[in-house]
Amino acid sequence: MSQPPPPPSQPPQQPGFGPPQEPSEPQTPAPSAPATPPTPPAQPPQQPPAGPDLNKAPQPQPGYGYPQAPGTPPPAAPPTPPQGPGYGYPQQQPAGYGYPAQQPGPYGRPGPYGQPQQPGPYGQQPPYGYAQPTVPMQAQAGQPGGGRKVNAQVAIIVSAVVAIALIVGGGVWYANSSGKDDDKQTTAEGGDTKGGEGDGKEGGSGDGGATTGEAEEKAPAATGSKVLFQVPSPKVPKGVTTISIAGSWLTDSVYAKSGLSEITGYDRKSGTKKWTLDLPGPVCAATPHVTEDNKTAIVHKPAMPSKTDPQACTEVAAVDLAAGSKVWTKTAKSGTMPVSFNNVTIGGGTVAAGSTSGGAAWYLATGDERWAPKTSDSCYDAGYGGGAKLVAVRKCGSYDQRQLHIQNVDPKTGDVLAEYKMDEGIEYAAVVSTDPLVVAADVGDSAGDGSGISDFFSIDNKTGKLRARLSAPGDEFAARCDAIYKVENCTGVTVGNDRLYIATEEHDSGGDSYSQTNEVVAFDLATGKQTGQRADAGENYEIFPLRMDGPDVIAYKRPPYDKGGQVVSIDGESFKETVLMENPSTEAVRDVESRMSPDYSEIQFGQGGLYMSSVYASDFTSREKEYSVIAFGTE
């Protein structure tokens, strides 16, 4: 992963839906206009350095009080990546790839290998030079550092100070998937390979935590897939460059995706609309978790934003994905001000949303309030991780003396069951898994690549004690977390079998060729050491773990320029790979699939179906149709 360049001293202003410029709150820079992709070099690129030492076993490090690594400043400019949509790309652009301008990669970088990349997931922003909150958080005498009731030992429940909440996102224009014959010659529907049908469960909605049951995803008789359906990319309002359309979910019968002030449920196989849930404003944040009875949660705006009124993300809603309806909608206040929420999750029957004004929670079934933000303390709940348990990332102290408290909380009351205090100076942390509890952080800004991860912390969620600290240098491992606002948004990593499975960075595959590859390796969460298990992507493929399937790992392989992507199951013990799906290699299909980068897209897999979707819509134009969703299936 190359390091991102420093962001501009002043973020560009996005007309129409841009947030007001509040000095006390970090602003969300609008992505700059894309640059035209440079012509691929005539000569093959130099061989990149070899990959990480996969046999190295980092020792677990002490947690609290551990010395901080010095921050690593970003370089003046990132290295220029080789061009082309995959590894070994030929020295010309294939027909149909001729969109006039390349979309920016993460933090303004050009997309890897000439790919048009989506902006960071869920509004991810660059850590370098990013405007930070400046509201002072003065500690109060006589209150514990965590500011919550810890079992029977601490009697006071406290929360957050008032802060101006971040206003992000905007509206998008959403077009229905046409499914018409006239698309078949110019879109991915032109490619089709026959295959078989696999069994499985909903993908992308698990907590990534404790391993339960047997693996459900089985290899079909024929693994070749076909395009099931596509959804055209929403048209953004005039004058708006890029708008978030984050949020996608998978149930046994429905694939649901956020659009312009709506969520649409599509039949998983045909793409036919089964329902549309109209919303008064755009979706700001969404949890990937889906309950057994097909409930999920979102944050949305109360109305469509305008140039004079961008609207805040104040509405928290529970959604029934089976019926296509709202279960309830709630808001919260911090003092007299409505809270604008940055993230939302579900854990233990509770919907919990976090912000710079503190966290609030409601009973999923009825919407009854379980707790609300408080303004009388120096601590506040910045966000929550959900799934098997509910974990709060609680920020305490003034900005220049920040300390994060990782708290396993009772979903019904908010009482702290166990707490781990991170070193002072760590500004952000992301919850990778709640059971077992694993947190990622960039300690001392030492990752150096914008990934938000330098270390993983394995924590006992019953005692709050650190089990192990896992070193994951940014130049060796390819996981990413958006810990600034989206506390549980991580890619390239999953947790199960009391192990952490993580993608390595790309590296030379060896020999005389210029091919690239990477691996998925495992760390033991009890010792912090690598287990020696390794799943290779294969020459010119790049592998990304998606989720657990019982004891096994489901992973997506991003393909070379001339092949389709793959979904594989990795045996949790032997690490033997089983191909579950291989997508068509026709040019039209590759063109759409290659734009769905695993780091900056939402990828769901279950029951023999793969669903890839963008998290942003933009005004970047192309000679070809742009799609926000492409779905593959085996038969």
Side-chain angles (χ1 to χ4, degrees), residues 119-252:
Y122 304 97
Q124 180 167 309
Q125 302 300 324
Y128 298 113
Y130 192 82
Q132 305 294 346
T134 57
V135 178
M137 307 289 184
Q138 299 299 329
Q140 292 187 348
Q143 290 194 349
R148 275 190 188 271
K149 179 174 68 177
V150 183
N151 296 336
Q153 299 176 358
V154 182
I156 303 176
I157 301 177
V158 291
S159 246
V161 300
V162 178
I164 303 300
L166 178 70
I167 300 176
V168 296
V172 295
W173 296 111
Y174 192 76
N176 182 27
S177 174
S178 64
K180 295 181 180 179
D181 293 340
D182 59 2
D183 281 342
K184 293 186 178 180
Q185 300 305 315
T186 58
T187 73
E189 290 184 350
D192 187 353
T193 58
K194 298 297 181 181
E197 183 174 358
D199 300 325
K201 64 180 180 180
E202 62 193 38
S205 59
D207 58 63
T211 301
T212 57
E214 300 293 330
E216 297 185 17
E217 303 292 352
K218 308 297 181 183
T223 57
S225 71
K226 68 175 183 179
V227 175
L228 299 177
F229 62 92
Q230 299 161 115
V231 178
S233 183
K235 305 298 182 182
V236 300
K238 185 178 180 180
V240 178
T241 303
T242 303
I243 298 298
S244 172
I245 53 170
S248 62
W249 305 269
L250 200 58
T251 73
D252 289 339

Side-chain angles (χ1 to χ4, degrees), residues 266-283:
Y266 300 93
D267 181 273
R268 287 183 52 146
K269 293 186 177 181
S270 67
T272 302
K273 281 187 177 182
K274 300 188 73 170
W275 49 260
T276 298
L277 171 60
D278 293 324
L279 302 170
V283 174

Side-chain angles (χ1 to χ4, degrees), residues 481-568:
C481 290
D482 176 13
I484 297 177
Y485 297 113
K486 314 300 179 184
V487 168
E488 60 178 359
N489 181 35
C490 296
T491 60
V493 62
T494 192
V495 173
N497 304 320
D498 206 33
R499 295 168 186 166
L500 180 140
Y501 301 96
I502 183 172
T504 68
E505 280 286 5
E506 306 162 84
H507 57 83
D508 181 10
S509 60
D512 297 329
S513 69
Y514 294 94
S515 61
Q516 298 271 292
T517 191
N518 79 321
E519 301 80 26
V520 170
V521 298
F523 284 83
D524 189 309
L525 291 176
T527 66
K529 298 179 180 180
Q530 287 194 35
T531 65
Q533 296 167 306
R534 162 177 160 171
D536 296 314
E539 187 172 343
N540 286 330
Y541 283 89
E542 187 179 7
I543 189 169
F544 295 83
L546 298 178
R547 64 173 177 88
M548 298 302 297
D549 176 31
D552 299 342
V553 179
I554 301 297
Y556 171 74
K557 288 188 177 183
R558 194 178 190 191
Y561 77 94
D562 59 347
K563 295 181 180 180
Q566 294 181 351
V567 177
V568 298

Side-chain angles (χ1 to χ4, degrees), residues 89 92-98 587-588 590-591 623-624:
Y89 183 74
Q92 62 180 9
Q93 293 208 5
Y97 194 78
E587 181 180 306
R590 297 197 319 264
D591 183 51
R623 292 198 302 257
E624 301 294 331

Side-chain angles (χ1 to χ4, degrees), residues 373-391:
K374 299 291 194 305
T375 60
S376 59
D377 185 43
S378 62
C379 299
Y380 67 95
D381 288 0
Y384 302 91
K389 297 184 181 298
L390 189 62
V391 172

Side-chain angles (χ1 to χ4, degrees), residues 611-626:
Y611 305 83
M612 309 177 75
S613 66
S614 302
V615 296
Y616 281 87
S618 72
D619 66 352
F620 304 134
T621 58
S622 170
R623 292 198 302 257
E624 301 294 331
K625 287 188 176 181
E626 301 286 346

Side-chain angles (χ1 to χ4, degrees), residues 64 119 147 177 243 262 323 356 449:
Y64 194 89
S177 174
I243 298 298
E262 66 182 14
T356 55
D449 62 349

